[in-house]
Amino acid sequence: MDEEGLAALRSFVAHYAETPLAAPASYAMVDALRRTRALDEAESEATAFPRRFPESAFVDDALFFLMDTRLQKFEKAPTQASAAPVLESGDRLVKEQFPAPNGSKQWSEFAPRAWHAIARVRHVLGDLEGAITAYRNVGGNVEDAREALAYLTEARLDLQESVTAPVAGSASFPVKYRNVGEIRFKAYPVDLQVLFAVRRTLEGLN
């Protein structure tokens, strides 16, 4: 939509502000601004939309646009301050029911994507427990969420089977682990000179 089209839409919204056409026209304005990449103005319009039209069936659409726009800003500069607006709009999408076209209240179709956004924010901020909870609430439809959840919850342990140390030195055992509560192992000191005097190879040695 060009500037002339946006101007006509603004005029329509202003003219029909007190009619049932105001809400769909206002959301059309948000969408038009989004499509023309006027994101700051679109965000401003979307922020006002739920307050102006709390009974509109487009409330969760506006909140989803807000969350997605704020998430992009957060990912460019991740801080607690830039995270708060993402979490505010995301929390509404997963915790509230919204007006439907038939007049009932329903859970938002954007809830799984909102959980995903919440999880990504918490993950980046280091709130791993909060991220895991949110990733689990996404469900199985988002591959990135499945992979992130597996990474955060999968138990993993890497330990070398043997290490060497210089004469009269002390050996260390580097251990890499994730999501492991306790590690127990036994270390057996071996003098290689003595060992190879007795055995030709290490085959079958436990």
Side-chain angles (χ1 to χ4, degrees):
M1 181 178 291
D2 57 19
E3 284 300 322
E4 185 177 346
L6 281 172
L9 188 53
R10 288 190 180 95
S11 177
F12 183 93
V13 169
H15 186 74
Y16 292 97
E18 302 301 324
T19 75
L21 297 175
S26 294
Y27 184 73
M29 173 67 76
V30 173
D31 190 54
L33 291 167
R34 178 182 64 83
R35 291 177 184 276
T36 57
R37 309 307 296 169
L39 297 182
D40 289 340
E41 189 177 356
E43 183 178 0
S44 177
E45 291 286 339
T47 300
F49 188 91
R51 296 195 302 269
R52 293 176 59 199
F53 309 105
E55 298 305 316
S56 170
F58 294 102
V59 168
D60 63 333
D61 296 81
L63 285 172
F64 175 72
F65 168 76
L66 269 179
M67 181 196 70
D68 189 58
T69 302
R70 291 166 173 176
L71 179 63
Q72 293 177 47
K73 292 182 178 180
F74 168 80
E75 290 177 334
K76 290 179 181 178
T79 64
Q80 291 285 353
S82 62
V86 184
L87 297 176
E88 185 272 330
S89 46
D91 281 345
R92 288 196 61 184
L93 284 168
V94 300
K95 294 177 180 179
E96 297 181 21
Q97 290 185 312
F98 298 93
N102 63 6
S104 65
K105 294 276 189 176
Q106 298 180 2
W107 295 108
S108 175
E109 63 180 303
F110 301 113
R113 296 164 75 178
W115 277 121
H116 190 208
I118 292 168
R120 288 164 64 182
V121 169
R122 297 201 181 283
H123 196 167
V124 170
L125 293 180
D127 177 9
L128 300 187
E129 289 301 320
I132 289 170
T133 298
Y135 279 130
R136 283 179 172 150
N137 282 319
V138 172
N141 297 322
V142 181
E143 183 177 357
D144 177 71
R146 292 197 304 271
E147 292 176 353
L149 181 61
Y151 177 83
L152 290 173
T153 58
E154 178 186 41
R156 184 171 181 177
L157 174 65
D158 291 320
L159 174 64
Q160 296 182 30
E161 293 183 358
S162 62
V163 297
T164 58
V167 176
S170 59
S172 61
F173 296 85
V175 178
K176 295 180 180 179
Y177 63 92
R178 187 170 67 237
N179 301 317
V180 176
E182 183 179 6
I183 301 173
R184 295 183 183 183
F185 63 88
K186 292 182 179 181
Y188 297 93
V190 176
D191 187 318
L192 292 179
Q193 290 183 326
V194 174
L195 177 64
F196 283 113
V198 177
R199 302 176 63 96
R200 294 293 183 184
T201 71
L202 297 178
E203 184 178 350
L205 184 66
N206 294 318

PDB file of all heavy atoms in Angstrom, residues 27 49-50 53-54 56-67 89 92-93 96-101 106-111:
ATOM      1  N   TYR A  27      -7.371  -2.093  12.714  1.00  0.00           N
ATOM      2  CA  TYR A  27      -6.425  -3.198  12.563  1.00  0.00           C
ATOM      3  C   TYR A  27      -5.880  -3.249  11.137  1.00  0.00           C
ATOM      4  O   TYR A  27      -4.706  -3.584  10.922  1.00  0.00           O
ATOM      5  CB  TYR A  27      -7.037  -4.550  12.923  1.00  0.00           C
ATOM      6  CG  TYR A  27      -5.991  -5.628  12.832  1.00  0.00           C
ATOM      7  CD1 TYR A  27      -4.995  -5.716  13.799  1.00  0.00           C
ATOM      8  CD2 TYR A  27      -5.949  -6.497  11.744  1.00  0.00           C
ATOM      9  CE1 TYR A  27      -3.988  -6.663  13.697  1.00  0.00           C
ATOM     10  CE2 TYR A  27      -4.940  -7.442  11.634  1.00  0.00           C
ATOM     11  CZ  TYR A  27      -3.968  -7.517  12.614  1.00  0.00           C
ATOM     12  OH  TYR A  27      -2.949  -8.450  12.498  1.00  0.00           O
ATOM     13  N   PHE A  49      -4.389  -0.428  20.192  1.00  0.00           N
ATOM     14  CA  PHE A  49      -5.562  -1.168  19.724  1.00  0.00           C
ATOM     15  C   PHE A  49      -6.292  -1.930  20.838  1.00  0.00           C
ATOM     16  O   PHE A  49      -7.530  -1.804  20.956  1.00  0.00           O
ATOM     17  CB  PHE A  49      -5.158  -2.126  18.598  1.00  0.00           C
ATOM     18  CG  PHE A  49      -6.327  -2.793  17.935  1.00  0.00           C
ATOM     19  CD1 PHE A  49      -6.929  -2.226  16.816  1.00  0.00           C
ATOM     20  CD2 PHE A  49      -6.855  -3.983  18.424  1.00  0.00           C
ATOM     21  CE1 PHE A  49      -8.015  -2.831  16.213  1.00  0.00           C
ATOM     22  CE2 PHE A  49      -7.934  -4.594  17.830  1.00  0.00           C
ATOM     23  CZ  PHE A  49      -8.518  -4.017  16.720  1.00  0.00           C
ATOM     24  N   PRO A  50      -5.617  -2.745  21.670  1.00  0.00           N
ATOM     25  CA  PRO A  50      -6.368  -3.483  22.712  1.00  0.00           C
ATOM     26  C   PRO A  50      -7.089  -2.583  23.692  1.00  0.00           C
ATOM     27  O   PRO A  50      -8.127  -2.965  24.243  1.00  0.00           O
ATOM     28  CB  PRO A  50      -5.275  -4.318  23.406  1.00  0.00           C
ATOM     29  CG  PRO A  50      -4.192  -4.432  22.389  1.00  0.00           C
ATOM     30  CD  PRO A  50      -4.201  -3.118  21.666  1.00  0.00           C
ATOM     31  N   PHE A  53     -10.182  -1.077  21.598  1.00  0.00           N
ATOM     32  CA  PHE A  53     -11.175  -2.046  21.121  1.00  0.00           C
ATOM     33  C   PHE A  53     -11.027  -3.377  21.868  1.00  0.00           C
ATOM     34  O   PHE A  53     -10.701  -4.405  21.277  1.00  0.00           O
ATOM     35  CB  PHE A  53     -11.018  -2.272  19.612  1.00  0.00           C
ATOM     36  CG  PHE A  53     -10.982  -1.012  18.800  1.00  0.00           C
ATOM     37  CD1 PHE A  53      -9.793  -0.538  18.268  1.00  0.00           C
ATOM     38  CD2 PHE A  53     -12.143  -0.286  18.576  1.00  0.00           C
ATOM     39  CE1 PHE A  53      -9.746   0.620  17.506  1.00  0.00           C
ATOM     40  CE2 PHE A  53     -12.124   0.885  17.819  1.00  0.00           C
ATOM     41  CZ  PHE A  53     -10.927   1.334  17.286  1.00  0.00           C
ATOM     42  N   PRO A  54     -11.261  -3.370  23.184  1.00  0.00           N
ATOM     43  CA  PRO A  54     -11.033  -4.592  23.971  1.00  0.00           C
ATOM     44  C   PRO A  54     -11.942  -5.747  23.585  1.00  0.00           C
ATOM     45  O   PRO A  54     -11.624  -6.910  23.886  1.00  0.00           O
ATOM     46  CB  PRO A  54     -11.300  -4.133  25.413  1.00  0.00           C
ATOM     47  CG  PRO A  54     -12.194  -2.938  25.262  1.00  0.00           C
ATOM     48  CD  PRO A  54     -11.751  -2.257  24.011  1.00  0.00           C
ATOM     49  N   SER A  56     -12.819  -6.467  20.416  1.00  0.00           N
ATOM     50  CA  SER A  56     -12.599  -6.802  19.003  1.00  0.00           C
ATOM     51  C   SER A  56     -11.987  -8.188  18.856  1.00  0.00           C
ATOM     52  O   SER A  56     -11.164  -8.620  19.679  1.00  0.00           O
ATOM     53  CB  SER A  56     -11.674  -5.779  18.347  1.00  0.00           C
ATOM     54  OG  SER A  56     -11.276  -6.217  17.059  1.00  0.00           O
ATOM     55  N   ALA A  57     -12.360  -8.884  17.789  1.00  0.00           N
ATOM     56  CA  ALA A  57     -11.773 -10.190  17.490  1.00  0.00           C
ATOM     57  C   ALA A  57     -10.338 -10.065  16.986  1.00  0.00           C
ATOM     58  O   ALA A  57      -9.670 -11.082  16.770  1.00  0.00           O
ATOM     59  CB  ALA A  57     -12.624 -10.916  16.442  1.00  0.00           C
ATOM     60  N   PHE A  58      -9.852  -8.828  16.812  1.00  0.00           N
ATOM     61  CA  PHE A  58      -8.487  -8.621  16.334  1.00  0.00           C
ATOM     62  C   PHE A  58      -7.508  -8.307  17.465  1.00  0.00           C
ATOM     63  O   PHE A  58      -6.341  -8.015  17.196  1.00  0.00           O
ATOM     64  CB  PHE A  58      -8.446  -7.475  15.313  1.00  0.00           C
ATOM     65  CG  PHE A  58      -9.176  -7.761  14.039  1.00  0.00           C
ATOM     66  CD1 PHE A  58     -10.438  -7.226  13.815  1.00  0.00           C
ATOM     67  CD2 PHE A  58      -8.622  -8.579  13.071  1.00  0.00           C
ATOM     68  CE1 PHE A  58     -11.120  -7.488  12.635  1.00  0.00           C
ATOM     69  CE2 PHE A  58      -9.287  -8.850  11.894  1.00  0.00           C
ATOM     70  CZ  PHE A  58     -10.552  -8.298  11.671  1.00  0.00           C
ATOM     71  N   VAL A  59      -7.955  -8.381  18.711  1.00  0.00           N
ATOM     72  CA  VAL A  59      -7.081  -8.028  19.831  1.00  0.00           C
ATOM     73  C   VAL A  59      -5.850  -8.929  19.869  1.00  0.00           C
ATOM     74  O   VAL A  59      -4.713  -8.460  20.010  1.00  0.00           O
ATOM     75  CB  VAL A  59      -7.832  -8.096  21.176  1.00  0.00           C
ATOM     76  CG1 VAL A  59      -6.854  -8.009  22.347  1.00  0.00           C
ATOM     77  CG2 VAL A  59      -8.850  -6.968  21.271  1.00  0.00           C
ATOM     78  N   ASP A  60      -6.046 -10.242  19.763  1.00  0.00           N
ATOM     79  CA  ASP A  60      -4.882 -11.118  19.836  1.00  0.00           C
ATOM     80  C   ASP A  60      -3.996 -10.979  18.599  1.00  0.00           C
ATOM     81  O   ASP A  60      -2.782 -11.164  18.675  1.00  0.00           O
ATOM     82  CB  ASP A  60      -5.272 -12.569  20.089  1.00  0.00           C
ATOM     83  CG  ASP A  60      -6.099 -13.193  18.986  1.00  0.00           C
ATOM     84  OD1 ASP A  60      -6.811 -12.458  18.286  1.00  0.00           O
ATOM     85  OD2 ASP A  60      -6.049 -14.433  18.832  1.00  0.00           O
ATOM     86  N   ASP A  61      -4.579 -10.631  17.448  1.00  0.00           N
ATOM     87  CA  ASP A  61      -3.755 -10.355  16.264  1.00  0.00           C
ATOM     88  C   ASP A  61      -2.826  -9.174  16.526  1.00  0.00           C
ATOM     89  O   ASP A  61      -1.637  -9.209  16.175  1.00  0.00           O
ATOM     90  CB  ASP A  61      -4.640 -10.051  15.054  1.00  0.00           C
ATOM     91  CG  ASP A  61      -5.504 -11.225  14.634  1.00  0.00           C
ATOM     92  OD1 ASP A  61      -6.548 -11.428  15.267  1.00  0.00           O
ATOM     93  OD2 ASP A  61      -5.122 -11.921  13.687  1.00  0.00           O
ATOM     94  N   ALA A  62      -3.382  -8.125  17.131  1.00  0.00           N
ATOM     95  CA  ALA A  62      -2.577  -6.947  17.438  1.00  0.00           C
ATOM     96  C   ALA A  62      -1.491  -7.276  18.455  1.00  0.00           C
ATOM     97  O   ALA A  62      -0.337  -6.843  18.319  1.00  0.00           O
ATOM     98  CB  ALA A  62      -3.469  -5.827  17.964  1.00  0.00           C
ATOM     99  N   LEU A  63      -1.832  -8.077  19.469  1.00  0.00           N
ATOM    100  CA  LEU A  63      -0.850  -8.456  20.476  1.00  0.00           C
ATOM    101  C   LEU A  63       0.252  -9.325  19.871  1.00  0.00           C
ATOM    102  O   LEU A  63       1.429  -9.195  20.242  1.00  0.00           O
ATOM    103  CB  LEU A  63      -1.525  -9.206  21.626  1.00  0.00           C
ATOM    104  CG  LEU A  63      -2.342  -8.348  22.589  1.00  0.00           C
ATOM    105  CD1 LEU A  63      -3.109  -9.238  23.553  1.00  0.00           C
ATOM    106  CD2 LEU A  63      -1.442  -7.388  23.352  1.00  0.00           C
ATOM    107  N   PHE A  64      -0.113 -10.205  18.948  1.00  0.00           N
ATOM    108  CA  PHE A  64       0.900 -11.036  18.309  1.00  0.00           C
ATOM    109  C   PHE A  64       1.863 -10.175  17.492  1.00  0.00           C
ATOM    110  O   PHE A  64       3.078 -10.380  17.522  1.00  0.00           O
ATOM    111  CB  PHE A  64       0.273 -12.096  17.413  1.00  0.00           C
ATOM    112  CG  PHE A  64       1.301 -12.891  16.653  1.00  0.00           C
ATOM    113  CD1 PHE A  64       2.099 -13.817  17.302  1.00  0.00           C
ATOM    114  CD2 PHE A  64       1.491 -12.685  15.294  1.00  0.00           C
ATOM    115  CE1 PHE A  64       3.076 -14.525  16.619  1.00  0.00           C
ATOM    116  CE2 PHE A  64       2.460 -13.389  14.597  1.00  0.00           C
ATOM    117  CZ  PHE A  64       3.253 -14.311  15.266  1.00  0.00           C
ATOM    118  N   PHE A  65       1.318  -9.212  16.742  1.00  0.00           N
ATOM    119  CA  PHE A  65       2.181  -8.314  15.991  1.00  0.00           C
ATOM    120  C   PHE A  65       3.119  -7.559  16.936  1.00  0.00           C
ATOM    121  O   PHE A  65       4.321  -7.424  16.674  1.00  0.00           O
ATOM    122  CB  PHE A  65       1.360  -7.314  15.179  1.00  0.00           C
ATOM    123  CG  PHE A  65       2.190  -6.195  14.624  1.00  0.00           C
ATOM    124  CD1 PHE A  65       3.002  -6.398  13.526  1.00  0.00           C
ATOM    125  CD2 PHE A  65       2.190  -4.951  15.241  1.00  0.00           C
ATOM    126  CE1 PHE A  65       3.803  -5.366  13.048  1.00  0.00           C
ATOM    127  CE2 PHE A  65       2.971  -3.922  14.759  1.00  0.00           C
ATOM    128  CZ  PHE A  65       3.784  -4.134  13.658  1.00  0.00           C
ATOM    129  N   LEU A  66       2.569  -7.078  18.059  1.00  0.00           N
ATOM    130  CA  LEU A  66       3.386  -6.374  19.038  1.00  0.00           C
ATOM    131  C   LEU A  66       4.511  -7.254  19.556  1.00  0.00           C
ATOM    132  O   LEU A  66       5.677  -6.846  19.614  1.00  0.00           O
ATOM    133  CB  LEU A  66       2.517  -5.941  20.226  1.00  0.00           C
ATOM    134  CG  LEU A  66       1.857  -4.571  20.182  1.00  0.00           C
ATOM    135  CD1 LEU A  66       1.043  -4.363  21.437  1.00  0.00           C
ATOM    136  CD2 LEU A  66       2.888  -3.481  20.015  1.00  0.00           C
ATOM    137  N   MET A  67       4.161  -8.479  19.934  1.00  0.00           N
ATOM    138  CA  MET A  67       5.149  -9.399  20.479  1.00  0.00           C
ATOM    139  C   MET A  67       6.250  -9.679  19.464  1.00  0.00           C
ATOM    140  O   MET A  67       7.443  -9.652  19.777  1.00  0.00           O
ATOM    141  CB  MET A  67       4.471 -10.701  20.895  1.00  0.00           C
ATOM    142  CG  MET A  67       5.426 -11.727  21.499  1.00  0.00           C
ATOM    143  SD  MET A  67       4.669 -13.364  21.539  1.00  0.00           S
ATOM    144  CE  MET A  67       4.653 -13.758  19.769  1.00  0.00           C
ATOM    145  N   SER A  89       3.491  -8.779  26.245  1.00  0.00           N
ATOM    146  CA  SER A  89       2.515  -9.147  25.215  1.00  0.00           C
ATOM    147  C   SER A  89       2.414 -10.657  25.069  1.00  0.00           C
ATOM    148  O   SER A  89       1.319 -11.195  24.849  1.00  0.00           O
ATOM    149  CB  SER A  89       2.879  -8.497  23.877  1.00  0.00           C
ATOM    150  OG  SER A  89       4.249  -8.646  23.578  1.00  0.00           O
ATOM    151  N   ARG A  92       0.188 -12.171  27.839  1.00  0.00           N
ATOM    152  CA  ARG A  92      -1.235 -11.968  27.584  1.00  0.00           C
ATOM    153  C   ARG A  92      -1.771 -13.015  26.610  1.00  0.00           C
ATOM    154  O   ARG A  92      -2.866 -13.544  26.786  1.00  0.00           O
ATOM    155  CB  ARG A  92      -1.493 -10.563  27.052  1.00  0.00           C
ATOM    156  CG  ARG A  92      -1.337  -9.447  28.076  1.00  0.00           C
ATOM    157  CD  ARG A  92      -1.977  -8.155  27.597  1.00  0.00           C
ATOM    158  NE  ARG A  92      -3.406  -8.294  27.374  1.00  0.00           N
ATOM    159  CZ  ARG A  92      -4.200  -7.344  26.892  1.00  0.00           C
ATOM    160  NH1 ARG A  92      -3.679  -6.179  26.557  1.00  0.00           N
ATOM    161  NH2 ARG A  92      -5.489  -7.555  26.716  1.00  0.00           N
ATOM    162  N   LEU A  93      -0.975 -13.316  25.596  1.00  0.00           N
ATOM    163  CA  LEU A  93      -1.431 -14.268  24.576  1.00  0.00           C
ATOM    164  C   LEU A  93      -1.575 -15.684  25.123  1.00  0.00           C
ATOM    165  O   LEU A  93      -2.386 -16.459  24.607  1.00  0.00           O
ATOM    166  CB  LEU A  93      -0.459 -14.269  23.392  1.00  0.00           C
ATOM    167  CG  LEU A  93      -0.567 -13.064  22.454  1.00  0.00           C
ATOM    168  CD1 LEU A  93       0.621 -13.017  21.509  1.00  0.00           C
ATOM    169  CD2 LEU A  93      -1.877 -13.123  21.655  1.00  0.00           C
ATOM    170  N   GLU A  96      -4.614 -15.223  28.598  1.00  0.00           N
ATOM    171  CA  GLU A  96      -5.946 -14.640  28.461  1.00  0.00           C
ATOM    172  C   GLU A  96      -6.728 -15.305  27.334  1.00  0.00           C
ATOM    173  O   GLU A  96      -6.153 -15.865  26.402  1.00  0.00           O
ATOM    174  CB  GLU A  96      -5.841 -13.137  28.167  1.00  0.00           C
ATOM    175  CG  GLU A  96      -5.204 -12.331  29.267  1.00  0.00           C
ATOM    176  CD  GLU A  96      -5.148 -10.846  28.921  1.00  0.00           C
ATOM    177  OE1 GLU A  96      -5.935 -10.406  28.044  1.00  0.00           O
ATOM    178  OE2 GLU A  96      -4.314 -10.129  29.509  1.00  0.00           O
ATOM    179  N   GLN A  97      -8.038 -15.239  27.463  1.00  0.00           N
ATOM    180  CA  GLN A  97      -8.915 -15.611  26.359  1.00  0.00           C
ATOM    181  C   GLN A  97      -9.387 -14.337  25.671  1.00  0.00           C
ATOM    182  O   GLN A  97      -9.516 -13.289  26.303  1.00  0.00           O
ATOM    183  CB  GLN A  97     -10.101 -16.432  26.865  1.00  0.00           C
ATOM    184  CG  GLN A  97      -9.709 -17.823  27.341  1.00  0.00           C
ATOM    185  CD  GLN A  97     -10.914 -18.655  27.719  1.00  0.00           C
ATOM    186  OE1 GLN A  97     -11.792 -18.200  28.454  1.00  0.00           O
ATOM    187  NE2 GLN A  97     -10.975 -19.872  27.214  1.00  0.00           N
ATOM    188  N   PHE A  98      -9.653 -14.448  24.370  1.00  0.00           N
ATOM    189  CA  PHE A  98      -9.932 -13.260  23.576  1.00  0.00           C
ATOM    190  C   PHE A  98     -11.265 -13.387  22.845  1.00  0.00           C
ATOM    191  O   PHE A  98     -11.734 -14.493  22.569  1.00  0.00           O
ATOM    192  CB  PHE A  98      -8.798 -13.038  22.564  1.00  0.00           C
ATOM    193  CG  PHE A  98      -7.474 -12.788  23.216  1.00  0.00           C
ATOM    194  CD1 PHE A  98      -6.601 -13.837  23.452  1.00  0.00           C
ATOM    195  CD2 PHE A  98      -7.113 -11.513  23.614  1.00  0.00           C
ATOM    196  CE1 PHE A  98      -5.382 -13.617  24.068  1.00  0.00           C
ATOM    197  CE2 PHE A  98      -5.897 -11.275  24.229  1.00  0.00           C
ATOM    198  CZ  PHE A  98      -5.026 -12.332  24.458  1.00  0.00           C
ATOM    199  N   PRO A  99     -11.872 -12.243  22.529  1.00  0.00           N
ATOM    200  CA  PRO A  99     -13.153 -12.273  21.810  1.00  0.00           C
ATOM    201  C   PRO A  99     -13.004 -12.957  20.450  1.00  0.00           C
ATOM    202  O   PRO A  99     -12.031 -12.728  19.724  1.00  0.00           O
ATOM    203  CB  PRO A  99     -13.498 -10.783  21.640  1.00  0.00           C
ATOM    204  CG  PRO A  99     -12.705 -10.076  22.680  1.00  0.00           C
ATOM    205  CD  PRO A  99     -11.441 -10.857  22.836  1.00  0.00           C
ATOM    206  N   ALA A 100     -13.960 -13.809  20.135  1.00  0.00           N
ATOM    207  CA  ALA A 100     -13.994 -14.473  18.826  1.00  0.00           C
ATOM    208  C   ALA A 100     -15.089 -13.828  17.985  1.00  0.00           C
ATOM    209  O   ALA A 100     -15.966 -13.132  18.505  1.00  0.00           O
ATOM    210  CB  ALA A 100     -14.269 -15.965  19.020  1.00  0.00           C
ATOM    211  N   PRO A 101     -15.061 -14.044  16.674  1.00  0.00           N
ATOM    212  CA  PRO A 101     -16.093 -13.446  15.810  1.00  0.00           C
ATOM    213  C   PRO A 101     -17.518 -13.826  16.193  1.00  0.00           C
ATOM    214  O   PRO A 101     -18.454 -13.059  15.958  1.00  0.00           O
ATOM    215  CB  PRO A 101     -15.734 -13.988  14.423  1.00  0.00           C
ATOM    216  CG  PRO A 101     -14.255 -14.222  14.494  1.00  0.00           C
ATOM    217  CD  PRO A 101     -14.007 -14.706  15.892  1.00  0.00           C
ATOM    218  N   GLN A 106     -12.178 -17.166  23.490  1.00  0.00           N
ATOM    219  CA  GLN A 106     -11.386 -18.333  23.123  1.00  0.00           C
ATOM    220  C   GLN A 106      -9.909 -18.075  23.383  1.00  0.00           C
ATOM    221  O   GLN A 106      -9.463 -16.933  23.422  1.00  0.00           O
ATOM    222  CB  GLN A 106     -11.592 -18.680  21.638  1.00  0.00           C
ATOM    223  CG  GLN A 106     -13.011 -19.052  21.277  1.00  0.00           C
ATOM    224  CD  GLN A 106     -13.150 -19.379  19.793  1.00  0.00           C
ATOM    225  OE1 GLN A 106     -12.169 -19.359  19.045  1.00  0.00           O
ATOM    226  NE2 GLN A 106     -14.367 -19.658  19.366  1.00  0.00           N
ATOM    227  N   TRP A 107      -9.188 -19.189  23.546  1.00  0.00           N
ATOM    228  CA  TRP A 107      -7.736 -19.073  23.649  1.00  0.00           C
ATOM    229  C   TRP A 107      -7.180 -18.676  22.284  1.00  0.00           C
ATOM    230  O   TRP A 107      -7.695 -19.065  21.251  1.00  0.00           O
ATOM    231  CB  TRP A 107      -7.115 -20.394  24.106  1.00  0.00           C
ATOM    232  CG  TRP A 107      -7.515 -20.794  25.486  1.00  0.00           C
ATOM    233  CD1 TRP A 107      -8.359 -21.802  25.840  1.00  0.00           C
ATOM    234  CD2 TRP A 107      -7.102 -20.188  26.710  1.00  0.00           C
ATOM    235  NE1 TRP A 107      -8.503 -21.866  27.195  1.00  0.00           N
ATOM    236  CE2 TRP A 107      -7.732 -20.884  27.766  1.00  0.00           C
ATOM    237  CE3 TRP A 107      -6.244 -19.123  27.025  1.00  0.00           C
ATOM    238  CZ2 TRP A 107      -7.546 -20.552  29.094  1.00  0.00           C
ATOM    239  CZ3 TRP A 107      -6.060 -18.793  28.366  1.00  0.00           C
ATOM    240  CH2 TRP A 107      -6.704 -19.502  29.380  1.00  0.00           C
ATOM    241  N   SER A 108      -6.114 -17.929  22.294  1.00  0.00           N
ATOM    242  CA  SER A 108      -5.553 -17.414  21.051  1.00  0.00           C
ATOM    243  C   SER A 108      -4.862 -18.511  20.249  1.00  0.00           C
ATOM    244  O   SER A 108      -4.165 -19.371  20.810  1.00  0.00           O
ATOM    245  CB  SER A 108      -4.536 -16.304  21.335  1.00  0.00           C
ATOM    246  OG  SER A 108      -3.907 -15.889  20.143  1.00  0.00           O
ATOM    247  N   GLU A 109      -5.033 -18.462  18.948  1.00  0.00           N
ATOM    248  CA  GLU A 109      -4.321 -19.385  18.062  1.00  0.00           C
ATOM    249  C   GLU A 109      -2.824 -19.099  18.054  1.00  0.00           C
ATOM    250  O   GLU A 109      -2.017 -19.922  17.602  1.00  0.00           O
ATOM    251  CB  GLU A 109      -4.844 -19.249  16.629  1.00  0.00           C
ATOM    252  CG  GLU A 109      -4.603 -17.870  16.015  1.00  0.00           C
ATOM    253  CD  GLU A 109      -5.132 -17.751  14.603  1.00  0.00           C
ATOM    254  OE1 GLU A 109      -4.718 -18.554  13.743  1.00  0.00           O
ATOM    255  OE2 GLU A 109      -5.976 -16.855  14.373  1.00  0.00           O
ATOM    256  N   PHE A 110      -2.439 -17.926  18.563  1.00  0.00           N
ATOM    257  CA  PHE A 110      -1.030 -17.556  18.580  1.00  0.00           C
ATOM    258  C   PHE A 110      -0.318 -18.006  19.855  1.00  0.00           C
ATOM    259  O   PHE A 110       0.877 -17.725  20.023  1.00  0.00           O
ATOM    260  CB  PHE A 110      -0.879 -16.037  18.443  1.00  0.00           C
ATOM    261  CG  PHE A 110      -1.486 -15.474  17.199  1.00  0.00           C
ATOM    262  CD1 PHE A 110      -2.599 -14.636  17.269  1.00  0.00           C
ATOM    263  CD2 PHE A 110      -0.972 -15.788  15.959  1.00  0.00           C
ATOM    264  CE1 PHE A 110      -3.166 -14.111  16.116  1.00  0.00           C
ATOM    265  CE2 PHE A 110      -1.538 -15.268  14.800  1.00  0.00           C
ATOM    266  CZ  PHE A 110      -2.633 -14.435  14.870  1.00  0.00           C
ATOM    267  N   ALA A 111      -1.017 -18.706  20.748  1.00  0.00           N
ATOM    268  CA  ALA A 111      -0.419 -19.096  22.033  1.00  0.00           C
ATOM    269  C   ALA A 111       0.861 -19.915  21.864  1.00  0.00           C
ATOM    270  O   ALA A 111       1.859 -19.633  22.547  1.00  0.00           O
ATOM    271  CB  ALA A 111      -1.440 -19.847  22.882  1.00  0.00           C
TER     272      ALA A 111
END
